[in-house]
Each structure stands twice: as structure tokens, then as C-alpha cells.
Amino acid sequence: MNSPINVVILAAGLGTRMKSKRAKVLHRVGGLTLVEHVVNAAAGITPPEHITVVVGSQAEQVQAALAHTGVRFVEQTEQKGTGHALMMCRDALAPQGGLVVVTYGDGPLLSRATLQELVDRQAGVDRAATLITTRLEDPTGYGRIILGKDGEVQAIVEQKAATPQQLSIPLINSGIYCFRADLLWKHIAEIGTDNPAREYYLTDIVEILSRAGHKVAALEVPDSEELLGINTRAELASVDKIFRERKVRELMLEGVTIEKPETVTIDCAVRIGADSIVGPFAQILGPSDIGEDCRIGACSIVENSKLADRVHIAPFTSIADSKVDADAHIGPFARLRAGNRVGAGAHIGNFVELKNTQFGAGAKANHLAYLGDAEIGDKTNIGAGTITCNYDGVKKHRTRIGKAAFIGSNSTLVAPLEIGDSSYIGAGSVITDPVPAEALGLGRSRQVVKGGWASKQKRKK
Ligand code: UD1
Ligand code: CA
């Protein structure tokens, strides 16, 4: 069977119940936007499909968030309901036939497996559609599934339009459907706005199809968690918690030790090698990649960074957009801002800040330093209080320090500047001119000692 499968994700609503300036589908759980999670699930089904996302509220931002996924977009300029949103796709999709899978951009927990099962149930059968349902202890807010005597779905009744008896039905509409394209597009225009919200409810299509003599089946899934839709910030937080718990469980099963797992925040895209240890309250964010036998200390934050094997990050350290080679030791209380490369076995200690700096293998900056726009050679030692003056108020300049150099404490290195291999800088120097290899650079006033000065002062009084 070669009929195409088109997936449509409805993501045009603002999400009034979020009380946010940002469109609901752009809010994040597990480190990704809600709509990215849905696209990921849809992208996993077979055979290969086209994914169309209906955008409207903050269309540009939603398109930007999904640009990397290669999905197509259709615009719904006015948000007149889920039925209306799907109508926007008719011209593009009706000629293709096949199957149309519809899902909502606010249900990020949906798995590929469940979506695939839905498609497999509907593929090659006569009936008009199959939809996913589950039983909820508290179904408040969801549409309810009305079953006929034969177990087929007769209608979906929205919360606002339901009778007290219908409200007691525990079977809910997940908002995930698979339609025969020919019947969907033939009947979609029959959806009206005769309901309390005056919206085109996609859910009405079920009753329309069933009255026209077509069958709609329900696929009941036992794990209702993956069908949770997000409408409020409270639901956003509880779904985020589910993603965090899943991620730490998955990592622990893969051989990562996580201390106090309920306190750590690890994004979905993070990878961590076996025998690494993550301390309490650590956050590992973005697409970070941590090697084996690493240690991420308590309360440290690692974002969009790559750490090789056996890297030790001591507590309260912040690392963003950086690369760290094997056996390096960083922190406690260190800050690696953007664009750093730390060499193998290097040491970076407390209150050291690096920005856009190449820090050589085995080099050390153990305390209190700022190294910005710098290259530090292998095995060079940076004394406490060393500052690269990389900014003259207008432009940034680079500092290049060679290998095995020794920069004395409290040195002020005024960039642009070159300091050669195996050279020395005397403590307390302000260095403005190049220092060649093997040389000693001094840039400080001489000490003066006045003998007996204190007692002379006292006699004057
Ligand atoms: C919807 C279903 C309900 C189901 C629930 C599952 C309808 C009428 N109701 O209710 O039966 O139990 O989802 O979570 O479908 N959207 C648009 N354009 C619009 C309106 C909405 O693209 O004009 C998008 C939204 O961005 C959102 C999705 O459709 O991603 C669902 O809309 P929402 O308002 O959250 O529907 P619910 O009230 O939750
Ligand atoms: Ca919803």
C-alpha cells in the first residue's frame, strides 16, 4: 500500500489559559518546546510521512523553533477552533489521499510507538477513522467519547457542551486521530459553530462521519500519562516533572549515578557516559554530551557543552557553550562563559572566569582570574588575580600566552599582547608590551623601604 500518510499538528492557538504573551506550543518541558516534542514523535512513524504544522499565534516564532525539523507550515490567520485549523490544510493535502493523522501541539508526552499503533490500526481498513482514548480518574476539561452499542465511537462531546451524565464518562478524547483522507476532506466543511464557544470543533467530525454511515473506532491506551494535554502553567510543571523523571531513570539504567535524582534537571537531548556521577541540584541542559567517569558537582550547571571522559566539575560551577577535554578539573565556583576549549588535564579553580579562551592541556588557573579572548599554552600557570584586559572600551583584543609560562599573581595583561613560551611575568605587573620566550617581564614600581619611619612620625607630634 503506497498511500501517503500526512501528519497534521495543530499549533495555531495562543493558549489563553497559559496567561502568557508567548504562544502555548513555545513553552518548554524537558528542555524542548511542546511542539518540538510532538514533531519528534510524528517524525518517528513509518512509512515516511509529510508533517504539516498549522501555525497562527506567533507564527514566525513557531516556524523558527521548528526550522531545524524540515516540517511544512500552513497558516490559520484567525483562530476559530481546531476544526477550522484542520480545514486550512485541505487544499494542500486533499489531492494526496491516503491517511491523515491529526494531533495537537500541546500534547508533548505522546510516544512514537502509540502514534504508530494508531496508524497501523487504521491502515488498509474501510472505516473512516480511529482515535486514541484513555480512561482518566478526573476527565475534567477533556472531550468525552460517546460509544455506541457496537463499541464504535458515535460522537465526542466537549466539556462545555456535555450533560451531567456525559460528564461522568471517564473515556476522554486525546486529540489524536487517524482519518481516511477522502472521507475527512469530503465532510470537513460540514463542521459548524453551533456550540457555546462558537468555534469550529474538530471533534464534531466524528458525529458527522458516523451519521453518514461510516465507522470510527477507539484505540484505548492503558498509559494515560502520555496523552496529557497542557493548558495551564500548573500542567506545564507537572508534565515537565514527568520528562525529568523519565530522563534520570533512563540515565540510571544506562549506568549513570545520580545523587538525589529528584533534585536534578537534565534535558531530553543530554547524553552522559557510564560511571559518571551527577551531584544533587545539578542542571545539564541543551544538547550537552558528557563522557564516562565524569563528575558533575552539586549545584553546577552545564549547558550546550561537551565534556570528554573523566572530567571533574566541582560544585557551583557554570559552563556554557564550551568544550572540555579529558581529565580536566574545573571549579568549585568557576564560570566558563561562551566559546571555551579547555585542554586535557587542565585545572581551573575557584572564581576563575573564562570567555572565548583556549586553555592548554595541563595548564592551571587555580584561583581568582579573568581570561577573555585568550590563548593559554600547554602547562602554563596563571597566578591568582591575573586579568586579561581584553576590552579597550571599543574593541576586544586577544592575549596569546605560550607554553610552560609562569604568570605571577595579580598580573594585568593589557591586550593585544603576546607572551612567549617558558617566560615569566613578575607578580603585580601591568604588562603592555610583548614578552619574548624565556624572558622575565616586570611592569611594576620598585619597593621603597624607609627605616625607622614610624618612630620619627611619632616624635613629630
Ligand atoms: C481539545 C479537544 C478535546 C480534547 C483535548 C485534548 C477540540 C474541540 N477539543 O480541547 O476534545 O479532549 O483537546 O487535549 O478539539 N488550535 C489551533 N487553532 C485553533 C484552536 C486551537 O491550531 O483555532 C490548536 C492549539 O494550538 C492546540 C490544539 O489546537 O495545540 C488544541 O487546542 P486547545 O484549545 O488546547 O483544545 P482543548 O480545549 O484542550
Ligand atoms: Ca489542549
Side-chain angles (χ1 to χ4, degrees), residues 22 32 48 65 152 189 206 225 259 284 295 300 331 352 370 373 414:
R22 210 175 333 142
L32 293 178
E152 303 286 326
V206 173
E225 189 176 83
E259 297 165 352
I284 307 177
R295 185 172 180 101
S300 286
V352 173
Y370 171 59
D373 302 308
V414 182

Side-chain angles (χ1 to χ4, degrees), residues 22-196:
R22 210 175 333 142
K24 175 168 67 181
V25 298
L26 291 175
H27 286 262
R28 284 169 185 271
V29 287
L32 293 178
T33 61
L34 302 186
V35 69
E36 277 175 283
H37 285 289
V38 182
V39 169
N40 284 346
I45 65 169
T46 49
E49 74 303 319
H50 301 292
I51 300 174
T52 305
V53 179
V54 181
V55 294
S57 304
Q58 299 204 308
E60 268 174 40
Q61 288 91 326
V62 177
Q63 291 186 37
L66 293 177
H68 65 100
T69 64
V71 297
R72 303 167 181 186
F73 300 99
V74 162
E75 198 152 351
Q76 182 198 24
T77 39
E78 263 186 287
Q79 284 68 60
K80 298 185 190 170
T82 48
H84 183 254
L86 187 57
M87 286 175 198
M88 302 296 109
C89 302
R90 188 161 89 168
D91 290 351
L93 302 185
Q96 297 180 33
L99 295 176
V100 177
V101 174
V102 179
T103 163
Y104 298 162
D106 65 353
L109 286 160
L110 174 67
S111 70
R112 288 167 183 195
T114 300
L115 206 53
Q116 186 67 57
E117 196 181 341
L118 173 73
V119 172
D120 294 346
R121 288 280 180 108
Q122 179 61 35
V125 298
D126 263 357
R127 66 168 169 266
T130 305
L131 58 82
I132 296 180
T133 182
T134 194
R135 269 162 221 278
L136 287 186
E137 249 172 60
D138 178 11
T140 311
Y142 289 91
R144 308 296 205 283
I145 303 288
I146 313 290
L147 295 180
K149 288 199 189 75
D150 52 0
E152 303 286 326
V153 185
Q154 283 186 334
I156 299 171
V157 185
E158 287 304 291
Q159 169 88 20
K160 282 184 196 161
T163 63
Q165 202 204 345
Q166 289 169 333
L167 287 177
S168 69
I169 296 172
L171 275 184
I172 60 109
N173 173 32
S174 64
I176 306 153
Y177 327 75
C178 184
F179 296 98
R180 252 175 65 185
D182 55 347
L183 295 175
L184 170 69
W185 302 123
K186 182 176 168 201
H187 291 284
I188 195 164
E190 293 164 36
I191 296 176
T193 56
D194 183 17
N195 57 61

Side-chain angles (χ1 to χ4, degrees), residues 396-413:
K396 303 273 168 67
H397 302 280
R398 295 196 69 80
T399 300
R400 287 200 183 82
I401 303 177
K403 293 181 182 158
F406 183 94
I407 311 297
S409 296
N410 226 29
S411 291
T412 301
L413 309 175

Side-chain angles (χ1 to χ4, degrees), residues 267-298:
D267 281 354
C268 296
V270 168
R271 296 183 358 162
I272 306 182
D275 285 318
S276 283
I277 300 172
V278 179
F281 294 97
Q283 299 195 358
I284 307 177
L285 310 173
S288 289
D289 196 332
I290 316 281
E292 294 188 3
D293 300 297
C294 288
R295 185 172 180 101
I296 311 295

